């Protein structure tokens, strides 16, 4: 036996550690401290004002020329300016462009540029810089912006502050593209200096200047004192990666994060229940739905596609899966889009008799079976299961098969599927949410939709300058697509931004990106 | 020292095998990097161009040997998605994981040793039952759940400790240590349970051996018998378990790292697999294999120190 004293000490040590560890110790006061007394979240000792933003995934590239990720765009909103910007109502407005003119044939754009704007490295922003950026996007071997720029024929410097862009053919979404990565201005001097490594030394004209990026962890930016639109109110913005949504919300609650880009639906009650936090919930521009393979059985049969589409109870789906934090959809165009039409987008409740009828017309009166590919995430599995149950009531049997995202894309592209769940994150211009997905032979038309009349309408709409006429074309095309059930739209996802009440100056913009230039922190 | 040299030489074929396995496994995963990098924005031309740029259009054997050729010269290559040398990425990510591993292990032995010794010496009493029960609980509780509960209690409700915010120790030691407490305890608790069970049973085996009875008969008190004689003899299985544990932690802390947002090695591997960043996955796994080999070597050397009967000869098990 140990001596009594020794064993007592040992025991209390063990039990003490265990209690501490399991959190049963501690003297009881569980009241969350409210004002600033945040001893655990160490504010930087220098008294700098820092805004910490939680991102769902790592932004892979700080170079807009090669970016393909949504998370990059969040950081770009602080680091870079674009020729055009999206305003809170969702419209395209000039940003680094002071004004612009388009010839009536839609083929020549003249941009007048803002004067006195400088890149973070001191390079002047002028017509030469714009020409450089356009040409880099159009011709650089690694450029992922070639698609954006494919209708640009040439770019000419008229004078120091004027640029003229000649198009090969009129392309209505052009300004919208210039309000995104395609129009993001990077410093020509920095590109020349760093070459391939530019993505690790990004230089823009934005409200914040790049400091460092630790891959997979954070991106730090500091205030641009000389910002043309007035210096930002905070000293630093840090983007931190939280792959675990619940942990991200808990970090928002604990004060380690000030803003989160996306709130998991199951965590919404936690955010709404916390008196220190606010939630912005708005319908984004994206959509989710099902590719039905129009080119092979069973979905080369129009009636069977219609039956599957008609059996989806979109209202119920949105309630069950998102607790109402998503908008039921029947078109590619969400609220705020030029082509949005409430009547066309309003969900239709499933009608058993009609579905039965469709099945009979499709030659499968007793129902049929097909395979649905989904990505392997808990949310998607839930979605798959709900859909499965909705179809089952009408004798339609879907088997679910999970694929990893990269594999899902490949399967979609090869067209080796019956049905496949894949949506789109959404863009400002209707064309960017529609053309590539429904026009014959286009890169994202995984469902092999071939409707000559629809092709004609969509192609005409992209060169039409008159917005009213464009809207009418998209509506007609949408009706055609709905009648054919070529793609089955299900819902528009919401942008769910959680924020601490200490943050002020936030304005929601429908592209869902967090603009930091105007933010302040108490 | 022949034993150490022999072991070191043996690591070469092991590492070669690991590299071949990693290389073929990652290339077997469906979905190619060009597709994943380009996402839905891929046009066929862009896709082909990227494949050429990444060298993916060459036969796999050619890809393997050109990679291996560089590795031999110490160049792990350039990350496909991040355009940063893989060695740089690893340098960024490894310290956090090593620190987390050491912290976890410290927490584990700080709990496991006293608890295991007490449970073994007080066999059949309430102390034994309590610690056995707690250990079983510790092994059964998923660490992500425990981690989340700890964040809610210590960081959200009471704000005693930060819920995330890893910074390097050399940059800010206080913040670093504060941020490491919750993750180390969350994983350490679970690991301690395994270690404690191991220590208890191995001690029980040893206490019943003749030499302990002799020691007791000679009038040595229990504390000295246990700490001085029994413990040392009970250490061999515990060291084995610890070695496996440390080796496992070095690559397997993904969940802890992602919950506490620690830029660690485990997350690097998992994220790179998702991004199909072959070059990074290969480099990271190779480095992780080297680490495991080193830990195993250390364990083997420790055996020899603890139990001189285990020598360079046949007892040195692979």
């Amino acid at each position: 036996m140990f001596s009594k004293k020794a064993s007592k000490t040992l025991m209390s040590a063990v039990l003490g550690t265990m209690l501490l560890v399991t959190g049963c110790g501690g003297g009881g006061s569980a009241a969350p401290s409210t004002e600033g007394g945040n001893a655990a979240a160490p504010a930087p000792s220098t008294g700098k004002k820092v805004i910490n933003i939680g991102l769902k995934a790592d932004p892979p590239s700080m170079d807009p020329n090669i970016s393909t990720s949504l998370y990059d765009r969040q950081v770009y909103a602080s680091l870079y300016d674009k020729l055009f910007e999206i305003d809170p109502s969702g419209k395209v407005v000039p940003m680094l462009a002071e004004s612009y003119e388009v010839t009536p044939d839609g083929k020549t754009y003249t941009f007048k540029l803002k004067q006195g704007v400088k890149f973070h490295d001191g390079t002047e922003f002028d017509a030469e810089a714009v020409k450089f950026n356009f040409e880099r996007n159009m011709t650089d071997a690694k450029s992922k912006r070639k698609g954006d720029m494919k209708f640009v024929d040439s770019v000419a410097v008229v004078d120091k502050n004027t640029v003229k862009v000649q198009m090969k053919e009129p392309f209505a979404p052009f300004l919208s593209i210039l309000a995104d990565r395609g129009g993001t201005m990077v410093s020509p001097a920095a590109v020349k200096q760093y070459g391939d490594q530019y993505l690790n030394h990004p230089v823009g004209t934005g409200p914040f200047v790049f400091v460092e990026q630790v891959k997979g962890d954070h991106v730090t930016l500091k205030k641009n004192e000389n910002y043309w639109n007035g210096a930002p109110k905070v000293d630093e913005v840090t983007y931190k990666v939280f792959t675990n949504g619940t942990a991200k919300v808990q970090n928002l609650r604990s004060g380690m994060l000030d803003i989160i880009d996306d709130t998991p639906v199951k965590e919404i009650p936690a955010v709404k229940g916390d008196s220190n936090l606010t939630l912005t919930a708005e319908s984004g521009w994206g959509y989710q739905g099902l590719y039905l393979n129009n080119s092979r059985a069973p979905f080369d049969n129009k009636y069977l596609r219609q039956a599957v589409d008609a059996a989806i109870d979109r209202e119920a789906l949105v309630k069950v899966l998102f607790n109402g934090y998503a908008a039921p959809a029947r078109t590619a165009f969400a609220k705020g889009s030029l082509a949005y039409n409430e009547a066309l987008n309003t969900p239709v409740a499933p009608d058993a008799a009609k579905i039965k009828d469709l099945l009979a017309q499709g030659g499968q009166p007793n129902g049929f079976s097909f395979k649905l590919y989904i990505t392997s995430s808990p949310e998607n599995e839930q979605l798959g299961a709900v859909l499965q149950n909705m179809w089952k009531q009408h004798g339609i049997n879907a088997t679910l098969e999970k694929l990893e995202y990269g594999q899902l894309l490949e399967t979609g592209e090869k067209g080796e599927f019956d049905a496949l769940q894949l949506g789109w994150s959404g863009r400002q211009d209707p064309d960017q949410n529609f053309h590539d997905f429904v026009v014959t032979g286009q890169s994202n038309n995984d469902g092999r939709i071939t409707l000559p009349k629809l092709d004609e309408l969509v192609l005409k709409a992209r060169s039409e300058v008159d917005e009213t006429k464009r809207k009418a074309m998209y509506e007609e095309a949408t009706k055609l697509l709905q009648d054919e059930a070529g793609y089955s739209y299900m819902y528009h996802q919401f942008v769910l931004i959680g924020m601490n009440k200490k943050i002020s100056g936030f304005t929601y913009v429908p592209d869902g990106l967090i603009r930091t230039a105007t933010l302040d922190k108490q | 020292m022949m034993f150490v040299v022999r072991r070191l030489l043996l690591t070469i074929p092991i590492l070669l095998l690991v590299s071949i396995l990693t290389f073929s496994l990652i290339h077997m995963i469906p979905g190619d990097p060009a597709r994943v990098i380009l996402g839905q924005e891929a046009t066929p031309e862009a896709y082909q161009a990227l494949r050429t740029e990444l060298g993916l259009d060459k036969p796999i054997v050619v890809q393997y040997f050109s990679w291996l050729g560089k590795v031999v010269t110490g160049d792990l290559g350039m990350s496909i998605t991040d355009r940063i040398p893989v060695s740089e990425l690893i340098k960024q990510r490894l310290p956090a994981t090593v620190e987390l591993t050491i912290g976890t292990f410290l927490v584990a032995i700080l709990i496991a040793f006293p608890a295991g010794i007490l449970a073994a010496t007080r066999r059949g009493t309430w102390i034994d039952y309590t610690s056995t029960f707690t250990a079983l609980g510790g092994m059964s509780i998923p660490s992500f759940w425990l981690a989340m509960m700890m964040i809610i209690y210590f960081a959200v409700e009471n704000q005693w400790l930060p819920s995330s915010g890893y910074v390097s120790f050399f940059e800010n030691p206080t913040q670093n240590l504060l941020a490491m407490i919750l993750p180390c305890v969350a994983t350490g608790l679970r690991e301690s349970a395994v270690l404690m069970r191991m220590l208890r049973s191995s001690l029980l085996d040893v206490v019943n051996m003749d030499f302990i009875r002799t020691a007791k008969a000679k009038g040595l008190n229990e504390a000295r018998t246990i700490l001085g004689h029994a413990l040392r003899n009970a250490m061999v299985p515990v060291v084995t378990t610890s070695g496996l544990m440390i080796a496992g932690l070095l690559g397997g802390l993904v969940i802890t790292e992602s919950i506490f947002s620690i830029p660690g090695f485990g997350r690097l591997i998992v994220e790179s697999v998702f991004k199909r960043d072959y070059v990074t996955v290969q480099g990271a796994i190779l480095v992780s294999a080297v680490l495991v080999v080193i830990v195993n070597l250390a364990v083997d050397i420790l055996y020899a120190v603890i139990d001189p009967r285990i020598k360079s000869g046949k007892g040195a098990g692979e």
Side-chain angles (χ1 to χ4, degrees):
Chain A
M1 284 285 134
F2 288 136
S3 74
K4 271 244 161 87
K5 203 177 160 197
S7 80
K8 254 193 185 160
T9 320
L10 207 59
M11 257 177 52
S12 49
V14 174
L15 291 176
T17 324
M18 283 180 172
L19 283 178
L20 178 79
V21 154
T22 46
C24 309
S29 104
S33 68
T34 42
E35 277 309 311
N38 200 344
S45 48
T46 48
K48 276 189 292 188
K49 258 193 211 179
V50 180
I51 290 184
N52 295 302
I53 300 176
L55 295 183
K56 196 177 178 180
D58 193 32
S61 168
M62 291 299 105
D63 182 356
N65 182 247
I66 54 171
S67 162
T68 55
S69 154
L70 168 70
Y71 305 98
D72 288 339
R73 295 162 69 212
Q74 285 287 4
V75 183
Y76 296 172
S78 296
L79 188 57
Y80 292 115
D81 292 320
K82 306 161 286 184
L83 288 180
F84 288 83
E85 171 66 310
I86 308 289
D87 79 356
S89 71
K91 286 224 158 57
V92 176
V93 293
M95 190 179 198
L96 286 177
E98 180 77 44
S99 61
Y100 71 100
E101 271 170 34
V102 199
T103 50
D105 65 357
K107 285 178 81 171
T108 312
Y109 287 78
T110 310
F111 301 112
K112 282 262 174 236
L113 306 177
K114 281 228 160 59
Q115 299 185 32
V117 177
K118 280 201 159 66
F119 286 100
H120 301 150
D121 61 359
T123 311
E124 201 171 344
F125 168 75
D126 55 15
E128 287 293 346
V130 175
K131 184 175 155 74
F132 175 87
N133 274 282
F134 267 95
E135 286 175 351
R136 181 168 184 245
N137 286 340
M138 285 155 62
T139 57
D140 198 275
K142 288 171 184 164
S143 172
K144 306 281 187 294
R145 302 276 80 81
K146 280 180 186 155
D148 289 348
M149 296 289 153
K150 66 183 162 203
F151 294 122
V152 176
D153 186 53
S154 63
V155 189
V157 172
V158 177
D159 61 44
K160 196 165 176 301
N161 301 302
T162 315
V163 178
K164 191 173 265 183
V165 177
Q166 193 60 47
M167 307 291 283
K168 289 174 197 155
E169 50 184 276
F171 185 49
F174 190 50
L175 293 184
S176 163
I177 281 170
L178 298 182
D180 199 346
R181 285 172 293 204
T184 300
M185 292 294 121
V186 313
S187 159
V191 171
K192 281 170 196 150
Q193 183 181 350
Y194 295 110
D196 233 17
Q197 282 296 309
Y198 172 79
L199 80 169
N200 295 315
H201 304 90
V203 179
T205 62
F208 290 89
V209 181
F210 181 80
V211 177
E212 67 161 358
Q213 174 172 32
V214 173
K215 293 287 179 183
D217 189 50
H218 69 265
V219 181
T220 306
L221 310 176
K222 67 167 194 232
K223 171 186 194 165
N224 175 5
E225 296 284 359
N226 305 315
Y227 189 50
W228 58 272
N229 209 7
K233 300 181 181 76
V234 296
D235 303 291
E236 243 179 61
V237 171
T238 309
Y239 293 88
K240 294 184 173 174
V241 182
F242 281 85
T243 42
N244 183 304
T246 307
K248 190 166 67 174
V249 170
Q250 294 306 337
N251 275 275
L252 179 69
R253 295 185 63 201
S254 77
M256 295 298 291
L257 292 176
D258 300 301
I259 307 174
I260 57 176
D261 64 337
D262 166 58
T263 308
V265 170
K266 68 179 165 63
E267 299 296 335
I268 288 177
V271 173
K272 297 201 96 174
D274 192 321
S275 58
N276 296 319
L277 306 178
T278 56
L279 180 76
T280 302
E282 300 275 355
S283 176
W285 279 327
Y287 61 80
Q288 291 297 322
L290 306 174
Y291 278 114
L292 304 174
N293 194 338
N294 291 228
S295 71
R296 72 175 205 193
F299 292 127
D300 52 356
N301 183 325
K302 171 180 165 177
Y303 299 105
L304 297 187
R305 292 201 299 268
Q306 287 175 327
V308 161
D309 184 66
I312 301 171
D313 185 345
R314 292 161 170 84
E315 292 277 7
L317 193 80
V318 162
K319 241 176 231 149
V320 171
L321 293 174
F322 303 101
N323 205 6
Y325 287 98
R330 283 183 66 237
T331 75
F333 314 111
K335 217 177 234 173
S337 166
L338 165 73
Y340 176 72
N341 177 314
E342 198 181 336
L344 282 178
N345 204 41
T346 304
V348 180
D351 174 348
K354 193 184 151 201
I355 296 164
K356 207 167 171 203
D357 210 38
L358 288 167
L359 288 172
Q361 279 179 282
Q364 303 281 2
N366 304 314
F368 67 104
S369 302
F370 70 95
K371 197 190 265 179
L372 169 63
Y373 288 115
I374 54 171
T375 45
S376 47
S377 76
E379 293 80 13
N380 275 306
E381 283 163 31
Q382 215 184 347
L383 169 68
V386 170
L387 287 171
Q388 216 174 13
N389 277 313
M390 287 177 175
W391 288 321
K392 208 172 186 170
Q393 299 166 22
H394 308 282
I396 304 170
N397 296 305
T399 9
L400 299 179
E401 195 163 317
K402 287 180 273 179
L403 291 181
E404 193 274 327
Y405 179 68
Q407 203 188 349
L408 189 83
L409 289 179
E410 207 166 308
T411 308
E413 188 149 338
K414 285 186 183 150
E416 291 163 355
F417 64 93
D418 299 337
L420 182 141
Q421 199 283 305
L422 190 62
W424 176 239
S425 60
R427 295 289 185 275
Q428 192 269 347
D429 195 276
D431 181 77
Q432 310 283 294
N433 300 317
F434 208 49
H435 175 273
D436 289 0
F437 302 85
V438 297
V439 170
T440 310
Q442 289 306 310
S443 56
N444 279 318
N445 186 353
D446 293 358
R448 275 73 184 153
I449 300 165
T450 319
L451 297 168
K453 179 76 188 140
L454 182 140
D455 290 358
E456 193 193 313
L457 281 164
V458 177
L459 288 174
K460 234 166 95 187
R462 63 171 17 193
S463 56
E464 178 58 62
V465 186
D466 185 321
E467 294 199 342
T468 323
K469 283 187 194 155
R470 273 190 93 195
K471 185 171 156 64
M473 291 175 196
Y474 285 120
E475 282 167 354
E476 203 185 331
T478 299
K479 277 183 205 152
L480 281 172
L481 186 64
Q482 281 182 349
D483 182 52
E484 284 284 326
Y487 178 93
S488 204
Y489 297 97
M490 293 190 296
Y491 59 89
H492 299 296
Q493 47 280 58
F494 269 23
V495 176
L496 295 161
I497 299 173
M499 195 176 296
N500 197 304
K501 282 188 180 156
K502 285 179 184 165
I503 302 293
S504 56
F506 174 76
T507 311
Y508 174 77
V509 178
D511 60 8
L513 302 180
I514 300 159
R515 267 82 175 167
T516 50
T518 52
L519 294 185
D520 198 358
K521 187 178 179 178
Q522 273 164 33
Chain B
M1 276 299 98
M2 263 314 286
F3 152 71
V4 176
V5 174
R6 208 168 59 91
R7 282 299 311 266
L8 279 175
L9 286 176
L10 199 65
T11 59
I12 295 169
I14 292 178
L15 292 178
L16 211 58
L17 197 66
V18 168
S19 78
I20 294 173
L21 277 177
T22 317
F23 199 90
S24 17
L25 281 176
I26 178 100
H27 281 83
M28 255 190 252
I29 306 178
D32 89 45
R35 185 87 52 197
V36 178
I37 293 169
L38 291 172
Q40 281 168 275
E41 293 177 10
T43 58
E45 307 86 60
Y47 171 71
Q48 279 313 328
L50 189 61
R51 277 182 65 85
T52 315
E53 182 198 332
L54 300 176
L56 296 168
D57 49 351
K58 297 191 190 105
I60 184 160
V61 181
V62 175
Q63 289 183 49
Y64 174 74
F65 280 105
S66 76
W67 174 73
L68 190 69
K70 278 194 242 154
V71 169
V72 175
T73 63
D75 175 9
L76 289 178
M78 191 72 105
S79 155
I80 290 183
T81 46
D82 294 341
R83 315 275 162 128
I84 293 182
V86 172
S87 51
E88 187 62 36
L89 280 175
I90 292 173
K91 232 190 286 168
Q92 279 180 359
R93 302 292 201 100
L94 201 54
T97 298
V98 169
E99 194 185 349
L100 191 54
T101 302
I102 295 172
T104 298
F105 189 62
L106 279 179
V107 171
I109 52 177
L110 276 177
I111 300 172
F113 269 74
I117 294 170
L118 271 179
T121 52
R122 301 281 190 281
R123 183 147 69 118
T125 67
W126 67 270
I127 299 172
D128 184 18
Y129 293 132
T130 312
S131 41
T132 306
F133 182 77
T134 318
L136 276 175
M139 282 189 262
S140 328
I141 295 175
S143 59
F144 68 87
W145 183 83
L146 185 66
M148 209 50 86
M149 290 301 120
M150 286 170 60
I151 289 182
I152 291 175
Y153 187 77
F154 291 103
V156 178
E157 303 286 341
N158 291 300
Q159 311 212 330
W160 291 330
L161 290 166
S163 47
S164 68
Y166 175 86
V167 291
S168 150
F169 181 81
F170 302 104
E171 209 174 293
N172 186 340
T174 327
Q175 200 186 332
N176 169 278
L177 292 177
L178 279 176
M180 282 318 248
I181 294 177
L182 288 183
C184 289
V185 173
T187 32
L189 187 70
R190 180 188 165 81
E191 302 295 331
S192 78
V194 180
L195 221 51
M196 181 251 156
R197 296 283 300 157
M198 179 58 77
L199 184 64
R200 177 183 175 274
S201 66
S202 132
L203 259 180
L204 283 177
D205 286 347
V206 178
V207 243
N208 294 323
M209 285 182 171
D210 288 346
F211 75 97
I212 294 293
R213 225 170 295 149
T214 314
K216 277 189 188 161
K218 277 163 57 186
L220 226 54
N221 74 30
E222 167 146 15
R224 290 194 56 189
T225 319
I226 296 292
L227 298 177
H229 297 274
L231 196 55
R232 180 180 179 129
N233 284 285
M235 278 310 279
V236 171
V238 177
V239 168
T240 312
T241 314
S242 306
L244 289 174
M245 183 193 288
I246 291 172
L249 285 173
L250 283 170
L253 285 162
V254 189
I255 293 171
T256 313
E257 286 169 359
S258 81
I259 290 180
F260 291 98
S261 182
I262 297 169
F265 200 59
R267 260 175 70 198
L268 176 69
I269 297 178
V270 170
E271 284 162 12
S272 307
V273 169
F274 278 122
K275 289 192 278 191
R276 298 288 184 281
D277 190 344
Y278 293 169
V279 186
T280 307
V281 176
Q282 285 151 207
I285 291 192
L286 198 66
V287 169
S288 138
V290 170
L291 290 174
V292 171
V293 167
I294 293 172
V295 171
N296 276 334
L297 188 64
V299 166
D300 284 354
I301 295 171
L302 256 183
Y303 283 158
V305 174
I306 296 168
D307 188 344
R309 281 170 302 173
I310 303 175
K311 279 263 172 62
S312 51
K314 297 191 171 88
E318 285 325 327

